Amino acid sequence: MTNRFLNLYNHDFARVAVGVPRCRVADPAYNAQQTIALAREADAEGAVLVAFPELGIPAYSCEDLFQQRALLDACNAALADIVAASRELGAALIVGMPVRVQQRLFNCAVVVARGRVHGVVPKTYLPNYSEFYEARQFNAADDAGVDTVTLLGNEVPFGNLIFEAADQPLLRFHCEICEDVWVPVPPSSFAALAGATVLVNLSASNVVVGKSAYRHQLVGQQSARCLAAYLYTSAGQGESTTDLAWDGQALIYENGDMLAESARFASDSHLIYADVDLERLARERMHQTTFGVSVRRHAEEVARFRTIKVDVTMPRDAELPLARNIGRFPYVPADPRLRDERCHEVYNIQVQALMQRLASSKIQKVVIGVSGGLDSTHALLVCAKVMDRLGLPRTNILAYTMPGFATSERTLRQARELMEAVGCTAREIDIRPSCMQMLKDLDHPFAKGQEVYDVTFENVQAGERTNHLFRLANHLGAIVIGTGDLSELALGWCTYGVGDHMSHYNVNASVPKTLIMHLVRWVAETGQLGNSAGQTAPAKAAKEGKEATGRRNVLIDILETEISPELVPGKANGAPEQRTEHFIGPYELQDFNLYYTLRFGYAPRKVAFLSWSAWHDASAGRWPDEGHLAHHAYDMVAIKRNLRIFLDRFFRTSQFKRSCVPNAPKVGTGGSLSPRGDWRAPSDSESVVWLADLETVPDDPHA
């Protein structure tokens, strides 16, 4: 079986590793055995690529000993041992050693796999300052003048090389050495333009105060600029401390995100692993068309690279789930500090955008419908902050709650309390009489006393609310603020045209439901709502504290209210008849599906694999909460069922609503659905190809 579902290699991931072996200075045989031991360990864990430190076979700190024939011969013998051991391994190994080429010596990365050397890459930039004087012993790559070298009795490629895995064309790796990444334009930049998706740095890199943080900056930024994964290794325990010290720091980044970091100053040999998403990197390059422009502009440098096929064996048949953490909430960081930063930034993007719209239109008032539910609450909070920053009274927010046939006492109470807490101009309009008149005009059965709650019955109410808001805005010199969010727009869960689909400006349009939940809680817990009059005198502190508690409590009540459009009358016990997530699936799953479909364009099979990795075990990984979220788990049957709902609604039934939406600020790289921005699609497309791909997902991922 070569297409096992629960195997990371069958979803265009690759497990890579960085090894930092304990070494002895000028003892290649010992160092080779340490390297082989780590290589076997990495291979047993399913890694397909393992990188080791710069000059790791002899040890980096040999200095003038590199000029000794005995040491150079011993390095070749040690390499022969590594090559022999590699016959039993499926992974490619990258080791560092000195290589003699026509009476010159080069600091090289040697790629070994399946019992042979596949290529040798020399170091381009030799440091000759501070504590390093490599030009004393080595030549730079540009001095070679050859494209092959004899190593262990065989002619092997030498120079600017990119290595491609034989059975995974997306795994194309390039090697550079230490100083190469410290220069203004590293060789790996051109290698990435030539198609390398995994960049490997064989480094020794001694440690001084502050250097660890700078390595993070270098590696992270290079991986981000090159839209690549970047593996960085450095020398550890055993290197000479005559004048320097070594911390053995290893790093793995992917497109600017750190996936793994080793413990520093470890006493023993150690490995780190990461599962690199090769498809993500390829799709980012395809999406970012300036990457292709860069390829053309640097065509001469790109053309210098040769591609070498490497015999590696990817363990596709075994069950090999992701070891990488896949966050359940891609729009909401699990780390509290990052979550606070995200909420602060998104909230202020929304506020700044609405401030600009009001300033440019020379309008100082807004009209907003307040339902007592989540989305309108957050939009109202944004409006309040806008008025504060513009120096306008919050009474310029003209807020209307408009109870209909199915409005519950709870949401009506919450709407009233929220408007009072904000300090806006609060009004209440009972839309039932005007809705009944329209239903009579339509000759609808409900107007004759029949309990018919069809889509017409629902949309008459939604349309009547929006119609009132637009006419109120005309009458009062204001603009209508939209409240619908990104999740609803993705699923088409909005009333088209004169309904919650339309407004003059929608502050929530690119904010998904799961993030709005956290934004409202963040506003409540950080006191962002404050008081429209600003800071009060100390004598009023007690009153202010009581008001702050009241504001927080009403926001928490809203967060704990079940999501419902409240358009169909509920049960006698007050429970809503309509539960949104019963129709369209849990928002936590659908936002996950939206992110990976919209942001990366992944096929449903991969989205399901990622979803299972994130959601099948509620006890695994971190949750973005401090105890207020229900910790759900979903099996593959539930994941497929809800993904099927998402795919059909997103690709087939809802695009016509997204083709004409109001202006709205984009808040994140997760994308927006504006036809003027991230998403342009035909309104009459089909969902068949996505649903067909979903059918290849087994109900039992272990099958």
Side-chain angles (χ1 to χ4, degrees), residues 16 38 85 97 154 175 247 266 274 286-287 306 353 355 380 415 427 480 483 497 507 560 604 612 651 659 662 683:
V16 298
L38 288 182
M97 63 176 285
N154 297 307
C175 309
D247 64 347
M286 182 171 62
H287 175 74
R306 290 175 288 159
M355 287 174 61
L380 181 58
R427 296 287 186 268
V480 177
T483 62
V507 294
E560 294 174 350
W612 185 89
F651 287 106
S659 293
S683 296

Side-chain angles (χ1 to χ4, degrees), residues 165-225:
D167 68 341
Q168 173 50 286
L170 292 180
L171 178 56
R172 307 184 81 232
F173 62 92
H174 168 264
C175 309
E176 62 187 4
I177 302 174
C178 199
E179 187 75 11
D180 290 347
V181 78
W182 297 67
V183 301
V185 185
S188 57
S189 296
F190 299 120
L193 296 178
T197 52
V198 178
L199 311 175
V200 182
N201 189 302
L202 273 59
S203 178
S205 191
N206 72 306
V207 62
V208 292
V209 173
K211 196 170 188 179
S212 171
Y214 191 57
R215 288 187 196 125
H216 277 285
Q217 293 176 353
L218 279 175
V219 174
Q221 285 298 312
Q222 186 66 355
S223 74
R225 280 193 303 269

Side-chain angles (χ1 to χ4, degrees), residues 415-431:
R416 292 166 176 165
E417 292 176 352
L418 177 64
M419 292 187 293
E420 181 180 0
V422 168
C424 58
T425 299
R427 296 287 186 268
E428 195 167 313
I429 298 175
D430 187 344
I431 62 167

Side-chain angles (χ1 to χ4, degrees), residues 341-351 511 515 519 667:
E341 290 178 2
R342 177 73 54 85
C343 290
H344 178 271
E345 192 163 31
V346 169
Y347 185 56
N348 280 280
I349 289 172
Q350 295 176 278
V351 169
V511 188
L515 181 53
L519 282 164
V667 303

